[in-house]
Amino acid sequence: MSLKIKHLNGDTTFLLTFSPTEQHPALNRYGHPPGTFTVLVDPWLSGPSTMWHPKFLLSKHTVPSCISNLSEIAEPNVVLVSQDKPDHCHEPTLRQLDPTSSLTNVLAMPAAAKKIRGMKHFHPSHVHALPVYSSKDEDSIIRFYIPPLTPGGTSGEATIAYVPAKMDVSGLHNAIGITYRPPTAAPLRAQHTPPSSTCSNFSFPNPQQYQLNNMPPTPPDTPNQRPRSLSASTNPSTLSTASSTSPALSQTSSVSTVPTTSHSLHAHSPSFHSPSFHTHTHTHSTSSTNSSRHHPRPAKTLSVIYSPHGVAYSPHVSHYATTHLVPQAALPLTTLIHGFDRVENPWYMGGNVNAGLPGGVEIAKNLMARCWIGAHDEDKENSGVSVLKIRMRKYGLDEVRELVRREWNGGGGGGCDVRALDCGEELVMRS
């Protein structure tokens, strides 16, 4: 399976495309390979971003976005909005989305969801406020059921969780966790069925055919075997190679999916190794060794943490990791999307704005992130009283890599590949 991350602007708008390992010749009704799941993050393409009044805060891009309109990309399964601030929740850009789409759901932190509903652009049933993640509340995880690739295959699942900082005066600091377990096709021996059941004739269902509370629970990869602690189950010295076929990444995305309420998960201790990275023009990729085509291992789970302003690893991210990522077999973390630069305001203006490198390196180290992509570090044109007393500590890419190298495995290097994607640049990771 693979994850393609494309940076759509110079700041913090990303398009994430999760794809299954298996190749499939047919396209679903949206013109995309079945089994893919796409997330559009914090869309702001052009025009100013104004908070309350231009005299308070006015921001403008200094780097043109790589697309001029969201109609230039395929309809995403999810539009994810992490803040109600206009550089994340940008009304003119959100209005570029098709309000009649039966595929796209808007998931936003509560204040942003209220703001988006107030636009009256989307049908209210397509805008959902993200509940605060709690390991004691199964419904605090938003789940998407992904149909099998062929009859007899297993279904996949994507999950989204919202982890905000507690008692955060600024309301800026949170993390949003995304996981993806791909659907599979039936084994070759099981596909010798009449033509009406073959892959080419299989009809993928409409999202509206699925009922919210009738989704099957996540099937276990192995019998229940919950690790006692995160550190014990993810110690680099005990990691082994997780081999799976590395597919060519498709250029389009989406599958019929629908958010469902949560089901209890089966525990499975993760097993991965640090990948090697191969750089190509404009597109980067990483892959592990291939497994046997006749005896594939159970699919693992890709995982992303998106935290443009940062949030403390402990207790916020660590709790989510131990109670959700570990049972999902989603560690090491596939990708951390987190800012490099640290930004501070006076305490009476809300204090810390961006946690930057010091906060990001703690998350990357503890979750053994395979990759860390910088976010929200564009040198925007800012004006207004809210930025008069801003203090910023900028970190260059080499400086970030050096600190990560020193922190990682006691200075032994390896593990985490640090990237700053240019506008329009893509990173493809394979597992």
Side-chain angles (χ1 to χ4, degrees):
M1 58 184 162
S2 63
L3 165 62
K4 180 174 70 172
I5 303 165
K6 184 170 184 176
H7 203 185
L8 298 184
N9 68 5
D11 199 41
T12 193
T13 299
F14 294 90
L15 181 63
L16 312 181
T17 303
F18 298 88
S19 298
T21 295
E22 289 86 347
Q23 298 298 299
H24 198 288
L27 299 179
N28 64 22
R29 68 191 185 98
Y30 298 98
H32 305 148
T36 57
F37 183 78
T38 56
V39 182
L40 175 63
V41 180
D42 286 347
W44 172 28
L45 295 184
S46 61
S49 164
T50 303
M51 184 185 298
W52 297 333
H53 191 278
K55 291 184 178 180
F56 183 78
L57 177 62
L58 178 66
S59 296
K60 298 179 181 179
H61 285 306
T62 56
V63 177
S65 299
C66 68
I67 58 174
S68 59
N69 193 287
L70 292 180
S71 62
E72 297 175 36
I73 63 173
E75 291 182 41
N77 295 100
V78 169
V79 176
L80 187 62
V81 181
S82 67
Q83 304 281 341
D84 64 333
K85 310 301 186 289
D87 54 340
H88 299 262
C89 184
H90 191 248
E91 181 172 344
T93 302
L94 289 170
R95 287 186 178 276
Q96 295 173 7
L97 293 163
D98 181 5
T100 65
S101 172
S102 62
L103 176 70
T104 301
N105 286 278
V106 180
L107 302 184
M109 54 87 71
K114 181 179 180 180
K115 182 177 178 180
I116 294 168
R117 291 192 188 104
M119 292 167 46
K120 301 187 183 304
H121 178 71
F122 303 97
H123 191 279
S125 64
H126 286 181
V127 181
H128 309 274
L130 287 166
V132 175
Y133 174 73
S134 170
S135 59
K136 298 179 181 179
D137 182 5
E138 293 183 346
D139 289 339
S140 67
I141 291 278
I142 304 295
R143 297 182 184 275
F144 291 82
Y145 169 82
I146 306 176
L149 298 181
T150 63
T154 59
S155 61
E157 182 184 69
T159 73
I160 296 179
Y162 171 58
V163 185
K166 297 179 180 178
M167 301 184 68
D168 178 24
V169 176
S170 67
L172 297 173
H173 301 98
N174 63 52
I176 296 178
I178 306 170
T179 67
Y180 170 82
R181 191 191 69 246
T184 66
L188 293 177
R189 289 179 297 178
Q191 294 188 26
H192 294 296
T193 54
S196 60
S197 299
T198 62
C199 172
S200 59
N201 292 310
F202 184 67
S203 176
F204 287 88
N206 186 297
Q208 297 176 345
Q209 293 176 348
Y210 289 94
Q211 298 299 316
L212 187 64
N213 296 317
N214 293 330
M215 295 299 101
T218 303
D221 291 334
T222 64
N224 290 354
Q225 185 179 0
R226 181 178 295 275
R228 294 185 179 180
S229 69
L230 176 63
S231 59
S233 65
T234 59
N235 190 314
S237 65
T238 65
L239 299 180
S240 61
T241 301
S243 301
S244 60
T245 304
S246 299
L249 183 68
S250 58
Q251 297 299 312
T252 56
S253 61
S254 81
V255 68
S256 299
T257 57
V258 64
T260 76
T261 54
S262 177
H263 298 278
S264 59
L265 298 174
H266 300 274
H268 180 199
S269 178
S271 177
F272 292 85
H273 82 192
S274 299
S276 59
F277 288 79
H278 308 282
T279 302
H280 306 282
T281 303
H282 301 299
T283 302
H284 310 286
S285 68
T286 175
S287 61
S288 59
T289 55
N290 291 338
S291 64
S292 167
R293 287 178 294 178
H294 302 290
H295 301 285
R297 295 186 180 184
K300 303 300 180 183
T301 301
L302 297 176
S303 54
V304 173
I305 285 182
Y306 173 68
S307 185
H309 289 266
V311 68
Y313 173 74
S314 180
H316 306 103
V317 177
S318 61
H319 175 69
Y320 168 72
T322 55
T323 57
H324 185 66
L325 295 183
V326 169
Q328 284 267 348
L331 291 177
L333 187 73
T334 307
T335 303
L336 171 66
I337 304 176
H338 187 290
F340 296 154
D341 299 338
R342 188 171 182 86
V343 182
E344 298 279 354
N345 245 332
W347 65 267
Y348 54 84
M349 293 289 289
N352 180 264
V353 178
N354 285 10
L357 173 61
V361 75
E362 185 179 12
I363 298 174
K365 178 182 177 181
N366 280 282
L367 300 186
M368 296 183 299
R370 295 170 57 191
C371 182
W372 176 2
I373 296 175
H376 218 359
D377 292 328
E378 180 186 13
D379 290 323
K380 296 182 287 291
E381 181 183 324
N382 295 320
S383 61
V385 297
S386 66
V387 297
L388 293 179
K389 296 186 180 295
I390 282 282
R391 301 186 308 276
M392 181 182 297
R393 169 66 164 91
K394 294 193 71 67
Y395 292 90
L397 185 59
D398 290 340
E399 192 173 4
V400 178
R401 286 173 172 167
E402 175 60 22
L403 181 58
V404 169
R405 187 195 67 80
R406 292 202 310 264
E407 291 286 335
W408 203 269
N409 295 336
C416 186
D417 185 78
V418 181
R419 300 293 177 108
L421 298 183
D422 292 332
C423 181
E425 192 173 11
E426 297 176 353
L427 171 74
V428 180
M429 302 189 68
R430 297 186 176 93
S431 178

